[in-house]
Amino acid sequence: MPTSYDVLIIGSGQAGNPLAVAMAEAGRKVVLVEENHLGGSCINYGCSPTKALLASAERAHQVRTAATYGIGAPEPTVDFQAVMARKNAIIKKSREGVRSNLTQEHEGITVLHGHATFTGPRTVQVALAGGETREIKVPLVFINTGTRAALPELEGLTDVPYLTTTELLDLPELPEHLLILGGGYIGIEFSQMFRRFGSRVTLVESGPHLLEHEDADVCAAMQEMLEVEGIELVLGAEARRVSRNAEGLITLSAHTKAGERRLRGTHLLVATGRVPNSDKLGLATIGVKTDEKGYIQVNSQLQTAARGVYALGDIHGGPQFTHISYDDYRVVRDAILHGKRRSARQRPLPYTVFTDPQLGRIGLNEEQARKQGIVYRVGKMPVRTIGRARETGNTTGFWKVLVDAQGRILGAAILGAEGGEIMTMFQLAMMGKLKYPQLQSMVIAHPTWAEGLNNVFTKLKKPE
């Protein structure tokens, strides 16, 4: 093993891995330290495993609803262990791909498994998995350690076998009745997934509606969509305590406007947010500052208060998405290797909630536009009016788009089939600074989902 390096990367996430490769290809000696599995949250307990399970759940739903298309089919039997085995095979292949990319396909990268702690300026002590320790001093350090599940201050929680998303993804049996605490996109995706697998699902959210950052009409449509599938929603509910009886049933007590609710289930998923993995890095030793929640503070170039130390991905707060972490990599790669500076604070924020149908979002929603004092018009079109929707039977949801006084697109919310893909069409138009009449008059192949671009702008009007 080389004993001196040019670059140290702490954490094998969606920013750290490509950065290691880019630095190595530029001729720099790189050491990457990972405490857990290579690949970060996306591969191991985030995007990849959840979307693999969602695909199985969607297939079960397709079989269950086949009669509406004139196809006779029995009620699907969900082999939960086989579902999990498929997911595990996908994750195993991804992990092997990451390891091969870092250790075999690129020279100049050393991978160490262990925990890294700062002991001085750009100096890190690594406690290796085998019990040894190693001190590494380098000119450049990149922290990419991500987050872990946040646990609420809930009476009795430590006395019951609760699940975070990490444990739920390795559950050996299908829950009979899954209680989900938290109505963000993680809780929503898991609620639909397990309902389609055959579990009873009760989702408990402290706020008045799901998806707190969305407009009211988007939230209402999402709630109706989930309730139609048989998911029980308990909104405006402040969880007070949780317990487990001798038979193994879990009881979650919550205060609501209608009084106290006692919700019983066989399993409890806690999906109330994330906290950063910054508390055991020794950041105070080198003067790296964090906010009140523990997220590392960085400037627009992702530099911390310590010279030569950067923070990438979820660890510095803000939107916690894989594509944002990957763009962090591009920001520092271009600045350090190519002399091209770009702010990490001036970039679009596309995201998709992978329910069925999906919610794709880009740019401003109505509430944000109003707060910024922007004059806008809004067009809203039911998905059922698109020919492709009627032909495929995927008629749930609506398209919603905002334009400014000059006809430029400010943002879009697409709740419907292929919502994430359609949202990206609006993102491309926004990046190209196209005005809506250009999309409205564009010749689009029939019958495609994209034809909605011709029609949604006919609905433009001033906000009510």
Side-chain angles (χ1 to χ4, degrees):
M1 285 187 180
T3 56
S4 63
Y5 304 96
D6 304 306
V7 176
L8 167 63
I9 299 172
I10 306 174
S12 170
Q14 296 305 303
N17 291 341
L19 183 62
V21 171
M23 289 291 183
E25 289 180 344
R28 306 198 185 192
K29 290 185 177 180
V30 179
V31 56
L32 186 150
V33 180
E34 173 55 54
E35 190 169 8
N36 299 302
H37 291 294
L38 292 177
S41 61
C42 181
I43 286 177
N44 292 294
Y45 52 85
C47 315
S48 295
T50 58
K51 277 49 183 180
L53 294 177
L54 283 167
S56 293
E58 183 177 356
R59 190 59 57 91
H61 181 70
Q62 290 170 348
V63 174
R64 194 173 286 120
T65 59
T68 62
Y69 295 83
I71 306 298
E75 176 70 16
T77 300
V78 175
D79 184 340
F80 192 67
Q81 291 185 347
V83 168
M84 286 296 192
R86 175 183 179 272
K87 179 265 297 181
N88 291 338
I90 293 172
I91 303 313
K92 182 175 183 291
K93 187 173 182 180
S94 296
R95 287 175 181 168
E96 291 172 348
V98 170
R99 180 170 294 279
S100 174
N101 188 39
L102 292 175
T103 62
Q104 299 177 26
E105 299 172 24
H106 294 88
E107 296 182 358
I109 301 175
T110 299
V111 174
L112 299 178
H113 287 278
H115 178 76
T117 306
F118 284 95
T119 56
R122 286 167 289 179
T123 303
V124 168
Q125 179 175 284
V126 180
L128 297 173
E132 302 176 30
T133 60
R134 180 171 301 177
E135 186 175 86
I136 301 171
K137 189 174 180 65
V138 291
L140 289 173
V141 182
F142 300 91
I143 305 171
N144 185 216
T145 51
T147 62
R148 61 184 183 272
L151 298 178
E153 293 184 2
L154 180 60
E155 181 184 340
L157 185 61
T158 57
D159 299 323
V160 301
Y162 66 86
L163 303 167
T164 67
T165 54
T166 303
E167 289 88 22
L168 188 63
L169 288 169
D170 289 324
L171 202 62
E173 76 284 342
L174 180 66
E176 180 182 337
H177 187 176
L178 178 63
L179 304 175
I180 299 178
L181 186 59
Y185 71 91
I186 294 175
I188 287 174
E189 289 182 1
F190 276 105
S191 71
Q192 189 182 53
M193 176 200 303
F194 277 89
R195 179 59 187 152
R196 289 183 169 185
F197 284 148
S199 300
R200 285 183 59 197
V201 177
T202 300
L203 190 152
V204 182
E205 164 59 33
S206 60
H209 50 69
L210 305 176
L211 299 174
E212 60 179 340
H213 299 298
E214 304 299 334
D215 284 333
D217 54 353
V218 173
C219 297
M222 179 67 76
Q223 290 166 201
E224 181 182 0
M225 183 179 82
L226 296 177
E227 287 177 328
V228 165
E229 294 206 24
I231 297 167
E232 180 185 13
L233 302 179
V234 183
L235 306 178
E238 181 186 350
R240 295 286 180 85
R241 68 188 66 85
V242 62
S243 61
R244 186 188 189 204
N245 66 16
E247 288 72 36
L249 283 179
I250 294 172
T251 298
L252 179 66
S253 299
H255 178 74
T256 71
K257 289 183 179 180
E260 183 164 319
R261 293 283 306 273
R262 294 173 61 83
L263 306 164
R264 291 181 175 84
T266 56
H267 296 72
L268 171 65
L269 169 65
V270 178
T272 52
R274 311 284 296 177
V275 294
N277 293 319
S278 61
D279 49 331
K280 297 181 180 180
L281 295 174
L283 298 178
T285 303
I286 58 171
V288 169
K289 299 178 180 178
T290 60
D291 65 15
E292 65 280 1
K293 294 182 179 180
Y295 291 103
I296 296 176
Q297 295 182 335
V298 295
N299 63 15
S300 62
Q301 300 299 304
L302 303 172
Q303 296 166 314
T304 72
R307 184 180 178 184
V309 180
Y310 295 70
L312 311 179
D314 298 349
I315 193 69
H316 64 66
Q320 296 183 11
F321 298 114
T322 293
H323 45 283
I324 297 299
S325 295
Y326 188 77
D327 194 56
D328 282 357
Y329 142 69
R330 291 184 293 213
V331 168
V332 297
R333 175 203 63 188
D334 291 349
I336 295 172
L337 297 181
H338 307 307
K340 299 177 181 178
R341 292 174 64 87
R342 175 168 64 88
S343 173
R345 294 174 180 164
Q346 299 172 355
R347 54 188 174 186
L349 177 59
Y351 61 91
T352 301
V353 180
F354 286 89
T355 48
D356 177 27
Q358 299 170 1
L359 170 63
R361 278 272 286 111
I362 181 65
L364 300 179
N365 60 22
E366 287 199 77
E367 182 179 356
Q368 292 167 332
R370 284 193 295 266
K371 285 183 177 180
Q372 295 182 30
I374 297 174
V375 177
Y376 70 92
R377 287 184 292 163
V378 58
K380 186 174 177 181
M381 178 183 71
V383 166
R384 65 177 181 274
T385 63
I386 303 172
R388 185 68 174 166
R390 295 192 297 271
E391 294 150 5
T392 61
N394 297 308
T395 57
T396 300
F398 59 84
W399 291 19
K400 183 179 181 181
V401 61
L402 276 65
V403 302
D404 66 13
Q406 289 74 43
R408 292 187 295 262
I409 300 170
L410 293 170
I414 310 299
L415 178 60
E418 305 298 340
E421 310 297 335
I422 296 163
M423 170 272 291
T424 306
M425 298 181 195
F426 285 98
Q427 183 182 359
L428 288 169
M430 293 166 69
M431 291 185 67
K433 301 186 185 302
L434 299 181
K435 295 186 177 181
Y436 80 82
Q438 294 171 274
L439 301 179
Q440 192 172 11
S441 60
M442 183 169 62
V443 178
I444 300 175
H446 174 80
T448 61
W449 289 109
E451 279 188 297
L453 294 170
N454 285 164
N455 302 323
V456 68
F457 297 105
T458 65
K459 312 295 183 182
L460 288 174
K461 63 180 181 179
K462 294 181 179 179
E464 297 178 355

